Amino acid sequence: EVQLLESGGGLLQPGGSLRLSCAASGFTFSTYALSWVRQSPRKGLEWVSVIRGSGDGTDYADSVKGRFTISRDNSKNTLYLQMSSLRAEDTAVYYCAKDPLPYSSGYYGFFDYWGQGVLVTVSS
Amino acid sequence: EIVMTQSPDTLSVSPGERATLSCWASQSVTSNLAWYQQKPGQAPRLLIYGASTRATGIPARFSGSGSGTEFTLTISSLQSEDFAVYYCQQYNNWGTFGQGTKLEI
């Protein structure tokens, strides 16, 4: 059974930094692209970042480019999102999400499994 | 950025009836369109991808159609567990989501 379990959320002030983790199980971790998707009442669902299975390719939404860094440790079956220079508009539930099929050279960009989500609140 | 627009925002339907949800893209996304269902406190659940292919385990009462810029999700006979919020997502060019349609009793 595929499981994705996020952790690391919390309340922090504007300008702060935070690292989210997503522990995965139930599939061959290194062969699937993984993404972070966030959801807020203001902006709805927003794809934040994606990383290829091998970890050698990443992409970001314009809204987080230069502030967020996605990474993965295939030896630990764990996905990360390092967030810095946080803003109030980054407040959201952050989900990690899995591509539906293995894709060695890219990603599909839709998601067959999602974690339960972790809340990040940026407020002074 | 491709903007996805869903209609209506809220749809009131009775159990056993048919529901039709619409989704428009601001430019062609070919058939790279997915539908998700989300219930309160839960993550989205993939229903349809490739505009019309049901995901694993999704009942046959869910069907998707369309291509280019206009798409439809149809639920043929609503069950009590189908009342939720539905989102479309294009993944042709840096995936973007619609604002959602709330399906209520």
Side-chain angles (χ1 to χ4, degrees):
Chain A
E1 180 192 3
V2 172
Q3 291 193 335
L4 300 168
L5 184 62
E6 303 96 336
S7 60
L11 170 64
L12 60 161
Q13 294 188 336
S17 298
L18 195 65
R19 189 177 83 158
L20 305 181
S21 300
C22 173
S25 61
F27 62 101
T28 306
F29 186 79
S30 63
T31 63
Y32 288 82
L34 293 169
S35 295
W36 289 98
V37 180
R38 65 186 181 185
Q39 185 172 31
S40 66
R42 191 175 75 92
K43 294 200 70 178
L45 286 161
E46 181 185 17
W47 192 14
V48 172
S49 184
V50 61
I51 186 168
R52 295 189 176 110
S54 60
D56 63 351
T58 59
D59 212 346
Y60 299 90
D62 287 343
S63 58
V64 306
K65 206 169 287 185
R67 300 188 299 122
F68 289 12
T69 302
I70 190 171
S71 62
R72 63 193 295 161
D73 185 337
N74 286 348
S75 69
K76 296 182 178 179
N77 286 7
T78 303
L79 174 72
Y80 302 100
L81 185 67
Q82 179 68 48
M83 304 185 292
S84 61
S85 302
L86 282 160
R87 307 165 180 167
E89 54 263 36
D90 295 317
T91 295
V93 173
Y94 285 73
Y95 295 100
C96 66
K98 170 186 162 292
D99 253 30
L101 293 168
Y103 192 170
S104 61
S105 60
Y107 54 85
Y108 287 93
F110 67 97
F111 316 111
D112 64 345
Y113 284 94
W114 301 57
Q116 86 289 349
V118 63
L119 178 61
V120 174
T121 304
V122 184
S123 174
S124 55
Chain B
E1 176 181 303
I2 298 175
V3 177
M4 306 301 292
T5 304
Q6 294 184 240
S7 177
D9 289 334
T10 302
L11 181 62
S12 298
V13 186
S14 298
E17 293 185 339
R18 180 188 193 94
T20 302
L21 289 67
S22 297
C23 173
W24 286 270
S26 60
Q27 62 189 77
S28 177
V29 299
T30 63
S31 293
N32 292 322
L33 191 284
W35 289 95
Y36 300 88
Q37 175 194 70
Q38 188 177 32
K39 296 180 179 179
Q42 297 184 15
R45 172 195 181 197
L46 179 65
L47 301 175
I48 300 284
Y49 63 93
S52 60
T53 302
R54 277 190 303 278
T56 302
I58 301 303
R61 64 180 182 273
F62 291 90
S63 63
S65 63
S67 66
T69 62
E70 297 187 22
F71 301 89
T72 300
L73 174 69
T74 301
I75 311 171
S76 60
S77 179
L78 281 161
Q79 307 296 304
S80 58
E81 62 266 27
D82 299 335
F83 293 94
V85 180
Y86 291 82
Y87 295 94
C88 61
Q89 180 215 0
Q90 66 80 18
Y91 51 95
N92 195 60
N93 184 358
W94 189 255
T96 50
F97 293 84
Q99 83 280 10
T101 290
K102 182 179 181 180
L103 187 57
E104 64 176 24
I105 300 176

